[in-house]
Structures are given as structure tokens and as C-alpha cells.
Amino acid sequence: MTETAHTTIHRHDYRPPDYTVESIDLRFELGKETTLVRSRLALRAAYDRSGGERPLILDGHRFVLRSLCLDGAPLAPEAFQVSEETLVVPSVPATFTLEVETELRPQDNTFLEGLYRSNGMFCTQCEAQGFRSITYYPDRPDVLSIFTVTVIADRERYPVLLSNGNPMDRGELPDGRHFITWHDPFRKPSYLFALVAGRLACIEDSFTTCSGRGVSLRLYLQEANRNKGEHALRSLKKAMRWDEETFGREYDLDCYMIVAVDDFNMGAMENKGLNIFNSCYVLATPETATDTDYQAIEEVIGHEYFHNWSGNRVTCRDWFQLSLKEGLTIFRDQEFSADMESRGVKRIADVRYLRTAQFAEDGGPLAHPVRPESYMEINNFYTATVYNKGGELIRMLRTLLGAGRFRKGMDLYFERHDGHAVTIEDFVQAMADASNMDLGQFRLWYSQAGTPLVEASSSFEAADGVFTLTVRQSCPPTPGQPDKQPFHIPLVVGLLDRAGRELPVTLFGEPAPGPTTRILEVNRAEQTFHFSGLDSEPVPALLRGFSAPVKLDYPYRPDDLVLLMAHETDPFCRWEAGQQLAAQVILALVADQQAGRELKPDQAFVAAYRAALTSGEPDRAFLAEALTLPSEKYLAELMPVIDPGAIHIARRFTIRALATQLRNDFLAVRETCRSTRPYGVDDGRSGERRLANLCLAYLMSLEEQAITELCIQQYRTSDNMTDTMGALGPLASCDCPERSQVLEDFYRHWQGDRLVVDKWFSLRALSDLPGTLDDARALIDHPDFELANPNRFRALVGAFSQNQPHFHAPDGAGYRFLVDQLLRLIPLNPQVSARLLAPLTTWRRFEPGRQALMQQELRRIQALPKLPRDVYEVVEKSL
Ligand code: B3K
Ligand code: ZN
């Protein structure tokens, strides 16, 4: 089969492996030009051979096969067949050893999958199917084996040699080389294998587990970054303690290693005992990283650590089960961050992401269930649906079961399946068994794609004090799924009176007043709930905590929303009320533009925002969230036909209207949030900084010289990246003479720091100013632009594709720019290219003009000869 003959893999075709690997011994000789890999597999037939012999089929590609021996004897050329992607040995004994020697060129591996080089070091990325580019192997997650790995390299250039588990042996070799042998006592699939070699600094710490075992923690990074790893290590220790306290999960090896690399396709990788991280999720100092960066590091460090149980100890049977580990681990990292920060603010951030990224996916041509039915390239399924919607499903289970029974279910799941490769069904079954609940209908969440729409309406019978809530659910068709069955939806609700007081939620017929918050189990297409004991018509607070990943439609009046904004107890609902109000106002301005009407500020809306701004809300981060208008992308989600230009103008108009009328309030609140004390990472002031910078951003929309000076002053005096970016963000969109000086100054100062230079590229690519596309084009030729470095490519081209007005320029120039750059990236890195295509795949959501331009660009890619599978799948499915 050639790389262009793309086949579809179906979940229903799953068959257990014919051969399992009892153990694997790997020996890597890392050379300057070529790397030699010797693999010795102890294999065993896992099927009943009385029914006939089955061939041994191993996965492998992109290397040179040097030799092949079975039970010590070289295999004759006619005894095996090599194809583009496999090695087939038609006849093998029931148990045997296979020795394979392969030759690789990691320095030429720009795919960043398998073994590759980054910044003078060797490293690996094997999930999902990278191991097969190292050697022939049954490269599937249900083949678990014991790995022993010897790494040999030049001692001078590669003093640090790492693999999974514990070091067993080390020594010197002729020609200035040395070796270290690692042994991992835990059986694992090949996707969790890792190797690192380089000249790296190491910062160390230790952790004592709940049962008193000492674990050595080691973080490896470039010598120049030695001072930037402290936060990551601190986060790791927090995560280890949290998983013990929250889920009773203890770490299991003697050491835990994290390595930071500059060239990485994704965020990080949970390889057993040896996590490999994109350096952007490790390195931080107050001068180089923002508060948001610090939080993201804590979250990703936690995420990879939590995988040790949800992913590594219990792994996936096949890749259709990816959400088994990713959804669960996302849920775990979200809960970890919620416990470390402000729970409400964390929930809001997670919902924001879900509603932009995942809802768009669900509404587009690549929509797929949390457990997909088929794929061409599994790397295309590391999606917001599998991860974040998958996380929401776990959260709904906890809501439905209650915290206690949910924890029992988790314990049962780990107890039953430790050391095995299992399915999502096994997980749900453990939850059902631990709770005695019927989760039959709940399982549909895993198999049906699309975002359910929940339409609620209400009526009030004043005479008997009964409030009736009618709930209808539906789900739009998605590719391959024209009709959907009703979902099992936990709808968490509360009731407020007109003074904003919380009322008991009493179901009709209940003898005593109910609790103030209640889980309604919605499981039919239409349902009615009656609440009694009410003196007057209440305002319902619906979907508290965003209790289900649905679109909720309830005909709130603006004054209901204002009431909820001021009084609702649930932070998500309180925030959501403001978002809905803002969305109503902004979308009305979009309609005004389309109808050629003059735009006017909405005074009731300004008043509601003034009330929030001056409310003295103690959670400053929450207030910042509440005052942030819905993003252009989210507003687009709410429109039947997206008009990106009109959305941008309407949103800018609203920002400016608020700034004009609340100018002094913004200035005053900013003042109360500023501090003369030096920055501290854990100084508890990140909420203040966020609010102060939001106020500044509003004020900068006024284009007033005095404000611009304030902003430049903040840039010049800032002792931390949060405030520096807080000033630079608005300046990058400000048409003032100082803009270019300040950006130039920033670049010169940080030229040597890759992660900060990434920020600089993004600032320019995200600017509102008219010349942004030309600027982005010019930056492609900047000496610091690196096509093959995913972070840099994303910082410029990826960021530009998120710049709604410029990317969606009516003449298609933004689309053309993206595709011009992707045409260069595709041969180097198909995986990253396929991901960055996403903004073009939603073309159906736009008016005919843009539709045609977007399709035209997709066709330019489609026309490429030998399209890699990753890109092929995205283009074919979206056209
Ligand atoms: N499991 C990895 C992702 C691997 C991506 C492969 N294309 C990171 C994570 O989710 O923790
Ligand atoms: Zn993960």
C-alpha cells in the first residue's frame, strides 16, 4: 500500500492481537548520521493454533531494515514480506524470539513523530503510532510488554541518556561513548515508550508518597533555562499530593522525569515515568511567563501526571477508546486546577473553550462522537470532542451519581482494570456497578455526535403558586447520523425571586421544601417539571455549573439576565447571564449593520456593566471574566450565517461604548487593582492583574493620548510578563506612532528567548490594524521565523488564522495566506498541518462569497500530489 492509498479503520473491525509481546529489549546506538536500533522481541501466539496458523504482521515504516532473525537464525528473504507499512512473516512458531535491526535518520525527521532531534538532543513521540517508525512492532495499545532499553551515545555530546522506568546498568564504551540501560517493571503499550539523549541540565526534587515511599523528581532542560523549571516541579508535587487525596492514587516508580523540548507537535506526552513536554508547558519565570502561562503549566503538568493512572496503568484497548484516558484525564486536571485556583473561574474558562472549539467541531463536517466509529488517521482525533466533551461526560456522571458513588466507581474501575487495555464501556460499567444506576441511555453520549439543543419555556400559575418548566431536547444531524435519540441530561437548576433571593426548589407533590439547587434528569424529547410553594413568578437559574454540554435556549428577558448577573449564586450561571445579555446586544448591532441602521449603545446594558464593574466583587478574576465580552468566535457560533466583519465591528463598537461611558470607573478599578509590590507568582494577585489589564484594554479602545501614555508607562515599568503583555496586547492594535517602537523594543530585549519571541509573533498576527495581513506575510521572511518549529508556526500562522476580521477578509487573502504557508508545511509536518486546517473546514457556516473562497483554498491543498493521510482526511471530509 502506498502512503496515498488511504483506508478507513472501523471500530467494529477490532480483533484482539494474534501475537503478544512478552518482553522487548531495545538497543539504540545514536550516531551522527545514522541511528541503529536493535530490537529483540519475545513473542507468543495468543490465538488457538488448532484452527490454523496465522501470519505475524508487524507495523513499521520510514526506516531501513538491516536484519531480521527468528530464534537466532537469519530469516531467508522468501520467509517474510515487507510492504510500505508492514512486515509479514507467514509462518512462525507458537513462541519465538524475533530480532530486528533498523537504521534511522532522526536528524531528518521533521514529522516529530517517532525518534527525532530537537535542538541538539534526541527525543521521541510515540503516541499514537510513532513507535512503528523506530522498529517493526505490533504498534497497538492492547499489546502490553516489559521494556528494557539500552541507549548508547557519545559521552561528551549526550551525557544524559533516559528511557522509561529505572536505570539498571551503565558504563563506558570505546570511542568516547557510554551507555545506560533502563528497565520499566510495568507492562506498557508501545505508545508510552520514550527515549531522550542530550546535554541537559537537571533540577531535582523529591516527593514522599502517602505510603511513605520516596520518589526522585527530575526535570531536564537546556542549561540556559535552568532557572525556569521551578514552577513545573512545584506543580508536579501538588499534582502528586492531590491525586492521593482526591482519588487515592499513589505514584508507582522510584523516579519521575520530565524533559522540556522546543520542537513538539502537541502540549506534552505522558510516557511512563518519562514525560516529554513542549517547553512552553515547562519554562517560566515572572519576566517571561504570564499568570495564564503559569496556570497552563500547572494544568498540563497535572494532566500528564494524572495519566499515570488514567491512561498508563489502565490504558485503551484501541484508539477508538481514546476518550477513556483523555476525557477522564481532562476531567481530573480540570478538578485539580479548580482546587488550586478559583473553582468558578476555572469552570468558566473550561466552558468558554468547550463552546468555541468543541461546539464548532460538533457543528462542522468533521463532527464525530466522543467514541468515534471510524478514522483514517488517528492523529486527527485528538480533538476537543474526544478530550473536552469527553471530560464533560465524566463530569455529568459525577453529577448524576453524586461525589461519593462516583469515587466508588473510580476505585472499582482501577481495581478491575489495572494493568489492562480496556474500553469506554468497561469504564461506564464500573460506574453503573458501583452506583446501581442504569446508565443505558447515558451511553448515547459516547456514540451520538452533535451538540444537543435544550429549549426550555415556563409558565406560572399564581393561584396555586406552581411554576412549570417545559424542556424539549433535540440534536442536529451530523455526518453519518441523521437521527438522534434523546440524551440523558442532568439539568441543574435553581430558582430566584425578584429580589434575587434563592428559593427552595420543591417538586410538585413533595411534602417539604426542596433544596435550593436541584438536578433534573432530562431523558425524553419533551418533559415538564412542576415546582410548587412559590409566592410569585421566579427567575430560573438553568444549567448551573454548565451541568451538561448542551446549548440552552430559554427566553430570558433582559431584566431577568440583569437580576441573575447581580444575584445568582452559581458562578457559571451568573457569568452566563452577562454573556447572554452582551450577545443579545452585539448581535442586535450586527443586525443593525446588515440593515444599514446607525449603531447606538444600549443604555440598559451599559448600566448592567457599570453595576458589575463597581460592585466590589471580591473575586477579581471572576469579575474580569464577567466583564469580558463574548469572543468573536463564540458570537459567530450563535449566528445562522456568520458575518465576521460585522461581528468584529459590533464587538469593537460595544467595547468602545462601554469605555466611553465608564471611562472613570475603568480608571478607578484599574487603580485599586494595581500594586507597587514586586510581582510574585503565588502572591494571590493574579485576579487583580487580570482585571487591571482588562480595564486598560477597554480604555485603550478610546484612542486617547493620555491612555496610550498610561499603557506605555505600564510596559516600561512592568516587572512581569503579565503586565507587559497587558500593555502590549492593546498597543499592538493601536494606530499610534509608539506602537512600532515598543514592539521593536520588546523584540530586541527578548530576541534570545524562543517562547517570548513566539508571543511577539502572535501579538503582531492578532492585531486589529488594517495592515496585519501584510505584516504577517513580511514576518514569514523574518530571520526568527522557523517553518519546522510547531510553536513558531502556530505563533504566526496559527494565530493569524484566529484573527477573525483579517483571516476572513472578504477577498480571501487571509485564507490564501494560510494555505500558502500550509503548502510549505505539509511535506515537513503533516500532523500540525492537518490541525491548522480546521478554520477552513467550517466554510458552510459563511455566506456564499466566503464559502467559495474557502473551498477554493481547500482544493488547492487537495490538488497536491501524494497528500499525507492526516491532511487528506481533513480535506476530503470537509469538502
Ligand atoms: N497523550 C498525549 C497526546 C498525544 C498526541 C498524539 N498525536 C498528550 C496528552 O493528552 O496528555
Ligand atoms: Zn492526555
Side-chain angles (χ1 to χ4, degrees):
M1 191 169 57
T2 68
E3 288 234 84
T4 41
H6 305 304
T7 46
T8 298
I9 322 273
H10 297 271
R11 185 172 68 89
H12 286 297
D13 290 342
Y14 173 82
R15 298 284 172 278
D18 286 337
Y19 295 88
T20 55
V21 184
E22 311 279 288
S23 66
I24 167 169
D25 282 280
L26 280 164
R27 203 184 82 141
F28 288 82
E29 279 184 71
L30 304 172
K32 204 166 178 314
E33 286 296 316
T34 52
T35 286
L36 292 181
V37 184
R38 218 172 64 192
S39 154
R40 188 165 187 278
L41 307 177
L43 288 144
R44 173 183 297 275
Y47 61 97
D48 177 8
R49 287 169 66 95
S50 63
E53 234 183 81
R54 299 186 195 161
L56 171 74
I57 304 174
L58 300 178
D59 306 297
H61 61 179
R62 303 179 195 152
F63 50 65
V64 177
L65 174 62
R66 296 256 303 228
S67 71
L68 195 58
C69 292
L70 197 149
D71 284 335
L75 268 182
E78 58 278 10
F80 66 93
Q81 296 130 26
V82 166
S83 72
E84 189 96 9
E85 302 204 19
T86 58
L87 166 73
V88 180
V89 189
S91 177
V92 292
T95 61
F96 58 103
T97 63
L98 191 77
E99 282 158 277
V100 186
E101 263 196 323
T102 54
E103 189 182 301
L104 329 177
R105 294 180 59 80
Q107 66 280 13
D108 299 338
N109 179 356
T110 57
F111 288 11
L112 313 184
E113 193 183 50
L115 179 66
Y116 64 94
R117 283 181 56 114
S118 169
N119 236 339
M121 68 196 270
F122 287 92
C123 62
T124 52
Q125 171 55 39
C126 290
E127 189 178 358
Q129 298 176 331
F131 194 74
R132 63 184 61 186
S133 61
I134 294 173
T135 186
Y136 282 117
Y137 198 75
D139 193 13
R140 43 190 286 168
D142 59 349
V143 172
L144 280 68
S145 189
I146 297 288
F147 281 66
T148 306
V149 181
T150 299
V151 190
I152 302 168
D154 183 80
R155 176 181 261 294
E156 253 318 288
R157 297 166 58 143
Y158 307 101
V160 173
L161 305 174
L162 310 174
S163 191
N164 318 82
N166 305 310
M168 270 177 36
D169 193 13
R170 66 178 69 216
E172 301 299 321
L173 294 170
D175 309 326
R177 297 187 305 165
H178 70 142
F179 76 92
I180 302 188
T181 301
W182 292 81
H183 178 75
D184 181 356
F186 290 92
R187 290 186 340 124
K188 65 167 177 288
S190 48
Y191 84 85
L192 290 173
F193 162 80
L195 174 152
V196 168
R199 171 171 287 287
L200 295 167
C202 176
I203 60 173
E204 290 188 68
D205 207 328
S206 64
F207 180 82
T208 306
T209 70
C210 50
S211 73
R213 280 188 320 99
V215 181
S216 151
L217 312 178
R218 294 185 219 134
L219 176 59
Y220 293 90
L221 26 64
Q222 307 280 335
E223 183 57 48
N225 292 327
R226 181 185 275 283
N227 64 329
K228 295 185 183 158
E230 218 178 284
H231 176 71
L233 269 182
R234 213 173 30 236
S235 302
L236 175 61
K237 286 189 289 180
K238 285 188 193 168
M240 294 177 88
R241 190 61 77 215
W242 183 88
D243 210 15
E244 292 182 346
E245 289 169 354
T246 314
F247 285 103
R249 297 291 125 202
E250 184 181 1
Y251 186 60
D252 52 14
L253 283 165
D254 299 335
C255 69
Y256 192 90
M257 299 175 282
I258 294 176
V259 183
V261 304
D262 289 338
D263 301 275
F264 205 72
N265 283 345
M266 311 263 297
M269 178 62 210
E270 70 262 25
N271 316 298
K272 184 77 187 184
L274 175 57
N275 289 182
I276 298 181
F277 269 64
N278 185 326
S279 47
C280 74
Y281 290 116
V282 174
L283 308 178
T285 64
E287 296 75 30
T288 59
T290 63
D291 289 330
T292 312
D293 295 331
Y294 272 100
Q295 281 167 11
I297 290 170
E298 184 177 87
E299 182 176 310
V300 179
I301 292 270
H303 181 98
E304 305 312 328
Y305 175 72
F306 303 140
H307 267 315
N308 190 55
W309 275 97
S310 47
N312 301 2
R313 291 287 290 252
V314 182
T315 194
C316 303
R317 186 193 73 173
D318 54 72
W319 291 120
F320 296 103
Q321 318 299 328
L322 184 56
S323 194
L324 174 81
K325 74 180 179 79
E326 296 305 348
L328 182 53
T329 305
I330 280 280
F331 170 75
R332 277 149 57 68
D333 88 49
Q334 290 179 346
E335 285 299 290
F336 168 59
S337 299
D339 284 343
M340 298 298 119
E341 304 154 27
S342 153
R343 183 160 276 274
V345 172
K346 174 63 180 156
R347 187 68 189 132
I348 289 164
D350 291 337
V351 172
R352 244 197 297 116
Y353 181 73
L354 188 87
R355 291 209 296 206
T356 44
Q358 200 280 323
F359 282 16
E361 219 164 80
D362 250 347
L366 289 122
H368 52 277
V370 170
R371 186 191 56 208
E373 289 301 330
S374 66
Y375 61 75
M376 288 183 191
E377 171 53 61
I378 184 58
N379 283 322
N380 287 334
F381 286 79
Y382 287 74
T383 57
T385 300
V386 167
Y387 274 64
N388 302 78
K389 186 173 180 181
E392 294 300 318
L393 306 197
I394 308 288
R395 186 174 297 277
M396 283 194 286
L397 281 173
R398 189 184 58 176
T399 304
L400 289 167
L401 269 66
R405 290 191 295 178
F406 176 74
R407 171 64 197 274
K408 264 178 62 191
M410 289 292 290
D411 289 349
L412 184 61
Y413 167 69
F414 288 126
E415 188 189 309
R416 275 186 187 165
H417 302 298
D418 186 12
H420 293 98
V422 304
T423 62
I424 285 173
E425 183 49 33
D426 293 320
F427 178 83
V428 179
Q429 196 56 49
M431 287 291 159
D433 292 345
S435 64
N436 270 320
M437 273 182 72
D438 178 1
L439 297 175
Q441 189 184 4
F442 186 84
R443 288 171 168 88
L444 292 171
W445 280 108
Y446 285 101
S447 58
Q448 294 189 145
T451 307
L453 172 65
V454 173
E455 289 166 294
S457 58
S458 65
S459 60
F460 183 64
E461 279 303 327
D464 42 13
V466 173
F467 180 71
T468 300
L469 188 69
T470 302
V471 181
R472 276 181 211 90
Q473 62 159 310
S474 59
C475 183
T478 47
Q481 298 187 331
D483 301 304
K484 312 288 166 88
Q485 288 168 252
F487 291 89
H488 184 179
I489 301 172
L491 182 67
V492 179
V493 303
L495 298 174
L496 268 60
D497 70 11
R498 284 276 148 202
R501 282 182 302 244
E502 247 187 335
L503 300 168
V505 186
T506 312
L507 286 172
F508 188 78
E510 275 181 344
T516 52
T517 199
R518 190 128 207 172
I519 304 164
L520 305 180
E521 295 200 26
V522 173
N523 48 22
R524 279 176 278 137
E526 181 170 336
Q527 254 159 302
T528 305
F529 300 90
H530 302 283
F531 305 101
S532 57
L534 299 157
D535 298 333
S536 59
E537 180 165 10
V539 176
L542 300 171
L543 205 67
R544 279 186 167 169
F546 193 69
S547 59
V550 300
K551 292 184 183 168
L552 178 81
D553 189 4
Y554 177 81
Y556 280 118
R557 294 194 315 254
D559 59 319
D560 295 339
L561 295 172
V562 170
L563 182 106
L564 289 168
M565 270 175 86
H567 300 290
E568 163 61 353
T569 54
D570 174 67
F572 163 75
C573 269
R574 187 144 50 98
W575 169 79
E576 173 66 357
Q579 297 292 295
Q580 277 193 38
L581 194 63
Q584 285 177 6
V585 167
I586 298 171
L587 293 177
L589 292 169
V590 169
D592 288 342
Q593 288 176 69
Q594 289 169 340
R597 286 187 292 265
E598 190 198 340
L599 305 190
K600 288 198 208 91
D602 182 313
Q603 289 312 326
F605 173 70
V606 174
Y609 263 57
R610 173 180 283 126
L613 179 59
T614 55
S615 64
E617 161 68 50
D619 186 340
R620 307 312 258 173
F622 175 83
L623 184 53
E625 281 288 4
L627 294 169
T628 303
L629 297 180
S631 68
E632 292 177 25
K633 263 185 109 170
Y634 182 64
L635 292 162
E637 272 297 306
L638 302 177
M639 289 187 71
V641 178
I642 302 173
D643 185 342
I647 292 175
H648 181 71
I649 290 171
R651 192 173 181 276
R652 290 295 308 168
F653 178 86
T654 308
I655 289 173
R656 209 182 155 120
L658 288 168
T660 308
Q661 299 199 44
L662 309 179
R663 182 182 185 279
N664 292 340
D665 296 309
F666 279 124
L667 279 169
V669 171
R670 176 173 179 269
E671 253 343 283
T672 63
C673 288
R674 307 249 319 144
S675 161
T676 47
R677 272 181 291 145
Y679 176 94
V681 175
D682 287 322
D683 61 3
R685 301 196 62 263
S686 64
E688 272 88 349
R689 284 188 285 272
R690 179 140 172 224
L691 183 56
N693 285 323
L694 180 76
C695 292
L696 180 61
Y698 270 106
L699 290 162
M700 280 292 283
S701 71
L702 297 172
E703 298 172 78
E704 253 182 51
Q705 187 56 28
I707 303 284
T708 307
E709 275 159 27
L710 207 65
C711 193
I712 290 168
Q713 166 82 354
Q714 172 167 325
Y715 170 75
R716 300 226 181 277
T717 56
S718 163
D719 69 344
N720 66 84
M721 186 53 86
T722 306
D723 288 335
T724 303
M725 290 300 285
L728 275 180
L731 275 171
S733 292
C734 170
D735 187 12
C736 57
E738 295 90 340
R739 174 187 188 266
S740 60
Q741 288 160 18
V742 171
L743 284 173
E744 186 57 23
D745 175 78
F746 182 76
Y747 172 72
R748 280 194 195 293
H749 192 262
W750 291 110
Q751 210 168 352
D753 189 307
R754 296 173 77 119
L755 296 176
V756 183
V757 172
D758 286 339
K759 291 185 192 304
W760 179 78
F761 275 97
S762 292
L763 274 171
R764 291 179 62 167
L766 287 168
S767 169
D768 274 358
L769 294 182
T772 298
L773 174 57
D774 290 336
D775 195 30
R777 278 204 200 101
L779 283 170
I780 294 291
D781 297 321
H782 191 281
D784 280 346
F785 180 71
E786 293 172 62
L787 186 62
N789 175 257
N791 286 0
R792 190 57 50 87
F793 194 91
R794 285 186 284 250
L796 175 56
V797 184
F800 180 81
S801 74
Q802 298 304 310
N803 186 330
Q804 301 303 306
H806 290 300
F807 177 64
H808 292 289
D811 63 355
Y815 308 142
R816 207 168 318 122
F817 171 71
L818 171 65
V819 170
D820 284 345
Q821 298 316 316
L822 286 179
L823 290 176
R824 303 202 300 150
L825 184 66
I826 288 168
L828 297 180
N829 192 329
Q831 205 182 114
V832 171
S833 306
R835 293 187 86 81
L836 288 169
L837 265 172
L840 285 174
T841 61
T842 57
W843 57 268
R844 282 185 186 77
R845 301 278 286 104
F846 295 84
E847 37 65 48
R850 284 190 179 88
Q851 284 198 3
L853 291 163
M854 291 167 94
Q855 289 179 76
Q856 184 184 318
E857 292 305 321
L858 284 168
R859 290 217 184 83
R860 270 172 75 202
I861 295 180
Q862 193 181 35
L864 277 186
K866 285 186 78 178
L867 210 51
R869 185 160 58 206
D870 319 49
V871 178
Y872 175 86
E873 180 172 30
V874 177
V875 172
E876 284 303 309
K877 288 185 175 171
S878 56
L879 269 174

